[in-house]
Amino acid sequence: MENTRDRYPTRTQEALRMFPRLDPVVHTDEDRRWDGPLGEAEVEAFERDGFLFFPGFFGADEVAEFREELRRLEQEPSLRDWDGMVREPGSEEVRSVFAIHRPSISERLARLARDRRLLDRVQQLLASPTYIHQSRINYKPGFKGKGFNWHSDFETWHAEDGMPFMRAISCSIVLTDNHEFNGPLMLVPGSHRWFVPTVGETPEDNYRSSLKDQQVGVPDGDSLAALIREGGIEAAKGPAGSLLMFECNTLHASNANLSPDPRSNVFFVYNSVRNRPSGPFSAPKERPDFLAERSDFTALEPAD
Amino acid sequence: MENTRDRYPTRTQEALRMFPRLDPVVHTDEDRRWDGPLGEAEVEAFERDGFLFFPGFFGADEVAEFREELRRLEQEPSLRDWDGMVREPGSEEVRSVFAIHRPSISERLARLARDRRLLDRVQQLLASPTYIHQSRINYKPGFKGKGFNWHSDFETWHAEDGMPFMRAISCSIVLTDNHEFNGPLMLVPGSHRWFVPTVGETPEDNYRSSLKDQQVGVPDGDSLAALIREGGIEAAKGPAGSLLMFECNTLHASNANLSPDPRSNVFFVYNSVRNRPSGPFSAPKERPDFLAERSDFTALEPAD
């Protein structure tokens, strides 16, 4: 059933103009805003730019553990035929494992999802307990990583999952060095302050193709150009273990990996428990559970 | 008729290993090498890296003239249905005009091809009079420029045009600023010193698809990785008017243009008059004349 109270109309037949976001970026009240762990400058930068980048946030030992865990998951017989395990076409090589925040999939990565260093920062900005809306770990060898075009994740989560408000933050932890030539994530600072409605109906089971090459949910060139002329483009380049926290509506893209160096990362989407998705706002049916949590909204407790 | 004396076998059924080039990089005798206009450090850098980059080589006035000339060519009725005029599919917009070194196509760009600043530098390195093997001017608006994968131009010119030796240099003049996000040309320093044979037969009329997305003539990942680990990757970033001179066998690639800024350049391939192509070494038939000069090998005279 389609959700009807729609503050962010998108995937429409006629083009709509972009408009300022209706939700705060930093949800915390003035008097709690500086409680930490993020300092004043960081909170302000997140509010202004829509992201924070922490080079080398996790140590080499932890990064090695996460990579090790991906290799273990690849071999795990019980996950062999599960849809959340995405292999290269015509190959046994695993490219992505979804829902890694579930202890049933990975104890180690479920603990990482509840790591205080992440959770405290996210919850400071969202002023709310959170749960994981989506998570995954990716691995792409050198030369193989394709790029993806500019988009807002919120636009998809709103249209296809029914996330009502902008009150979610993504954490991406790179497990390999990210440099100019292996397709680092690029962001448009300030773009999170605008919602860019997109044109065109969501096809059924859109997720099957959209994860490879997004065709609907793509912002128009004029809006994009205006936002980039205003805010520029920044690439999140840094050593393995770097953490990127980005607001759910920040426009981002990446280019193909033209280097021999692999690209690997862990990705968690923290959503406020007060921002649970209902039904899709602009899609014929719900996406599978491994792409969008719809049953377990239990607030995450920090791991010790 | 296929050419039979083949020093650089490629497009074979079985994979062949890469091997050191058989031709000099700088063709000039020791005693003429320092005659100029390139200084000793530049000649050595070209020999070592396989390219030279001159930021802002041409002034803003000249760059404006070249762009103006592209707009004039777009409107030129006599070129309307010519194959060397490449339009966007389903659109009137001109993306590339080939053979611009011919005065019958463009007086202005033919004069640029014979500009002393280019010709003297190229001929110092090749130690020979030259003619133009291929030339073009390109224009791509923001967000629209696709990338292209790593390749050696010589590999194509040898296989498909029959260029016997490595004795050609490309000059690319950018008519728009080139920065990290609009898909600048990337090069692998030192890669020109190795020939990487490629696998797979050249299909008939390969050029119709290869100009958009090269499928044959693509070096294997292991050779590429070895060359990049040795030499790294450099991106030719600089203001409009910058000149890139690169050796015909230097591996290069580019990523998609993810910025709103257009990408435009003029491209001339200077080949030694002692290195005329005969028939293709590894292709069923010759490419059209606008892609590979095969009738007029008159040495270029400097324009005054």
Side-chain angles (χ1 to χ4, degrees), chain A residues 220-288:
Chain A
D220 67 283
D222 288 348
S223 303
L224 255 181
L227 292 168
I228 293 175
R229 295 215 186 283
E230 179 73 21
I233 298 175
E234 280 188 34
K237 289 176 284 194
S242 297
L243 165 67
L244 175 71
M245 289 176 61
F246 61 107
E247 211 277 336
C248 59
N249 190 45
T250 307
L251 291 173
H252 57 290
S254 99
N255 232 323
N257 179 1
L258 287 175
S259 86
D261 308 324
R263 214 162 67 182
S264 180
N265 75 320
V266 172
F267 185 76
F268 296 119
V269 181
Y270 293 90
N271 189 27
S272 164
V273 295
R274 295 198 268 282
N275 192 29
R276 299 176 188 187
S278 42
F281 283 96
S282 333
K285 67 176 195 187
E286 290 172 343
R287 300 200 296 173

Side-chain angles (χ1 to χ4, degrees), chain A residues 53-60 63 67 172-179 182 236-244 264:
Chain A
F53 185 62
F54 304 90
F57 190 84
F58 289 93
V63 168
R67 278 200 295 238
S172 170
I173 301 151
V174 294
L175 306 182
T176 46
D177 294 352
N178 265 19
H179 55 71
N182 71 339
K237 289 176 284 194
S242 297
L243 165 67
L244 175 71
S264 180

Side-chain angles (χ1 to χ4, degrees), chain A residues 143 148-150 179-181 183-184 186 221-222 224-225 228-229 233-235 237 253-262, chain B residues 143 148-150 180-181 183-184 186 221-222 224-225 228-229 233-235 237 253-262:
Chain A
F143 301 126
F148 53 83
N149 232 316
W150 293 110
H179 55 71
E180 183 175 347
F181 303 115
M186 302 179 209
D222 288 348
L224 255 181
I228 293 175
R229 295 215 186 283
I233 298 175
E234 280 188 34
K237 289 176 284 194
S254 99
N255 232 323
N257 179 1
L258 287 175
S259 86
D261 308 324
Chain B
F143 301 126
F148 54 84
N149 233 314
W150 293 109
E180 184 174 346
F181 303 115
M186 302 180 208
D222 288 348
L224 254 181
I228 293 175
R229 296 218 186 281
I233 297 175
E234 279 188 35
K237 290 178 284 195
S254 100
N255 233 324
N257 180 3
L258 287 175
S259 87
D261 307 323

Side-chain angles (χ1 to χ4, degrees), chain A:
Chain A
M1 192 185 76
E2 285 207 13
N3 203 315
T4 44
R5 290 183 47 197
D6 189 351
R7 292 151 56 90
Y8 295 105
T10 188
R11 315 267 171 120
T12 50
Q13 277 197 297
E14 304 280 318
L16 301 173
R17 293 171 73 90
M18 64 177 180
F19 58 86
R21 66 186 282 151
L22 304 170
D23 302 303
V25 177
V26 174
H27 295 257
T28 322
D29 290 341
E30 263 321 303
D31 57 340
R32 303 294 312 270
R33 186 173 161 120
W34 318 123
D35 281 1
L38 293 170
E40 178 168 339
E42 290 170 317
V43 174
E44 280 177 1
F46 184 83
E47 192 158 48
R48 181 188 65 236
D49 298 334
F51 62 91
L52 286 171
F53 185 62
F54 304 90
F57 190 84
F58 289 93
D61 288 2
E62 287 175 289
V63 168
E65 270 181 51
F66 307 147
R67 278 200 295 238
E68 194 53 50
E69 182 62 4
L70 174 61
R71 280 189 287 267
R72 190 191 66 76
L73 291 169
E74 251 179 57
Q75 311 295 329
E76 178 56 46
S78 66
L79 300 176
R80 226 193 124 65
D81 298 316
W82 176 50
D83 276 354
M85 181 81 111
V86 180
R87 293 171 200 274
E88 267 319 78
S91 153
E92 283 300 280
E93 280 184 282
V94 170
R95 288 295 174 252
S96 301
V97 187
F98 283 87
I100 51 164
H101 66 286
R102 295 185 190 150
S104 61
I105 306 289
S106 166
E107 292 278 357
R108 181 65 194 92
L109 297 172
R111 204 160 71 241
L112 175 60
R114 297 182 296 114
D115 190 302
R116 267 187 194 283
R117 290 168 289 181
L118 300 177
L119 210 54
D120 289 353
R121 283 170 173 75
V122 166
Q123 296 187 168
Q124 181 185 359
L125 296 167
L126 297 182
S128 160
T130 56
Y131 72 97
I132 300 287
H133 175 67
Q134 186 193 97
S135 69
R136 64 174 183 269
I137 183 168
N138 293 317
Y139 178 85
K140 277 277 190 185
F143 301 126
K144 296 287 179 191
K146 286 195 181 161
F148 53 83
N149 232 316
W150 293 110
H151 68 283
S152 149
D153 285 339
F154 175 77
E155 195 276 343
T156 294
W157 301 335
H158 181 73
E160 302 190 25
D161 301 333
M163 185 181 282
F165 310 115
M166 293 180 186
R167 197 173 182 178
I169 290 175
S170 297
C171 285
S172 170
I173 301 151
V174 294
L175 306 182
T176 46
D177 294 352
N178 265 19
H179 55 71
E180 183 175 347
F181 303 115
N182 71 339
L185 199 78
M186 302 179 209
L187 307 109
V188 181
S191 58
H192 63 305
R193 284 177 278 162
W194 294 83
F195 183 71
V196 185
T198 70
V199 175
E201 217 175 308
T202 313
E204 192 149 330
D205 289 340
N206 180 46
Y207 74 93
R208 289 185 197 274
S209 58
S210 74
L211 294 179
K212 287 171 202 142
D213 180 22
Q214 192 167 4
Q215 295 292 341
V216 302
V218 177
D220 67 283
D222 288 348
S223 303
L224 255 181
L227 292 168
I228 293 175
R229 295 215 186 283
E230 179 73 21
I233 298 175
E234 280 188 34
K237 289 176 284 194
S242 297
L243 165 67
L244 175 71
M245 289 176 61
F246 61 107
E247 211 277 336
C248 59
N249 190 45
T250 307
L251 291 173
H252 57 290
S254 99
N255 232 323
N257 179 1
L258 287 175
S259 86
D261 308 324
R263 214 162 67 182
S264 180
N265 75 320
V266 172
F267 185 76
F268 296 119
V269 181
Y270 293 90
N271 189 27
S272 164
V273 295
R274 295 198 268 282
N275 192 29
R276 299 176 188 187
S278 42
F281 283 96
S282 333
K285 67 176 195 187
E286 290 172 343
R287 300 200 296 173
D289 201 55
F290 70 83
L291 284 177
E293 184 61 60
R294 260 191 332 276
S295 47
D296 184 0
F297 304 108
T298 316
L300 294 166
E301 292 291 337
D304 286 313

Side-chain angles (χ1 to χ4, degrees), chain B:
Chain B
M1 195 184 73
E2 284 206 16
N3 203 315
T4 45
R5 292 182 49 196
D6 189 351
R7 292 149 59 89
Y8 295 105
T10 188
R11 317 273 170 113
T12 51
Q13 276 197 299
E14 304 279 318
L16 300 174
R17 293 171 71 91
M18 65 177 177
F19 58 86
R21 67 185 282 149
L22 305 170
D23 302 304
V25 177
V26 174
H27 294 257
T28 321
D29 291 341
E30 262 324 303
D31 57 337
R32 305 293 312 271
R33 187 174 159 121
W34 318 122
D35 281 2
L38 294 170
E40 180 168 336
E42 290 171 317
V43 174
E44 280 176 2
F46 184 83
E47 192 158 48
R48 181 186 66 236
D49 298 334
F51 61 90
L52 286 171
F53 186 61
F54 304 91
F57 190 84
F58 288 93
D61 288 359
E62 286 175 289
V63 168
E65 270 182 53
F66 307 148
R67 279 200 294 240
E68 193 52 50
E69 182 61 4
L70 174 62
R71 280 188 285 269
R72 190 192 65 77
L73 291 169
E74 254 179 57
Q75 311 295 329
E76 178 55 45
S78 65
L79 300 176
R80 229 195 121 65
D81 298 316
W82 177 50
D83 276 354
M85 181 81 114
V86 181
R87 294 170 199 274
E88 269 314 81
S91 152
E92 283 299 282
E93 280 184 282
V94 170
R95 288 296 175 251
S96 300
V97 186
F98 282 85
I100 52 164
H101 65 287
R102 296 186 188 149
S104 61
I105 306 291
S106 167
E107 291 279 356
R108 181 66 194 91
L109 298 173
R111 203 161 70 241
L112 175 61
R114 297 184 295 117
D115 190 302
R116 268 187 191 284
R117 290 167 289 180
L118 300 177
L119 208 55
D120 289 352
R121 282 170 173 75
V122 166
Q123 297 189 167
Q124 181 185 359
L125 296 168
L126 297 182
S128 160
T130 57
Y131 72 98
I132 300 287
H133 175 66
Q134 187 193 94
S135 69
R136 63 174 183 268
I137 184 168
N138 293 316
Y139 178 85
K140 277 278 190 185
F143 301 126
K144 295 288 179 190
K146 287 197 180 158
F148 54 84
N149 233 314
W150 293 109
H151 69 284
S152 148
D153 286 338
F154 175 77
E155 196 275 343
T156 294
W157 300 334
H158 181 73
E160 302 191 24
D161 301 334
M163 186 182 282
F165 310 115
M166 294 180 184
R167 197 172 181 176
I169 291 175
S170 296
C171 285
S172 171
I173 301 150
V174 294
L175 306 182
T176 45
D177 294 352
N178 265 22
H179 55 70
E180 184 174 346
F181 303 115
N182 71 339
L185 199 78
M186 302 180 208
L187 307 111
V188 181
S191 59
H192 63 303
R193 284 176 280 162
W194 294 83
F195 183 70
V196 185
T198 70
V199 175
E201 216 174 309
T202 314
E204 190 148 331
D205 290 341
N206 180 46
Y207 74 93
R208 289 184 197 274
S209 58
S210 74
L211 295 178
K212 288 171 201 141
D213 180 22
Q214 192 168 4
Q215 296 292 339
V216 299
V218 178
D220 67 284
D222 288 348
S223 303
L224 254 181
L227 291 168
I228 293 175
R229 296 218 186 281
E230 179 70 23
I233 297 175
E234 279 188 35
K237 290 178 284 195
S242 297
L243 165 67
L244 176 71
M245 288 176 60
F246 60 109
E247 211 278 336
C248 58
N249 190 45
T250 306
L251 290 173
H252 57 289
S254 100
N255 233 324
N257 180 3
L258 287 175
S259 87
D261 307 323
R263 213 161 69 183
S264 179
N265 76 319
V266 172
F267 185 75
F268 296 118
V269 181
Y270 293 90
N271 189 27
S272 164
V273 293
R274 295 197 269 280
N275 192 31
R276 299 175 188 188
S278 42
F281 282 96
S282 333
K285 66 175 196 186
E286 291 173 341
R287 299 199 296 173
D289 200 58
F290 70 83
L291 285 177
E293 184 60 59
R294 261 191 331 277
S295 47
D296 184 359
F297 303 110
T298 316
L300 293 166
E301 292 291 337
D304 286 310

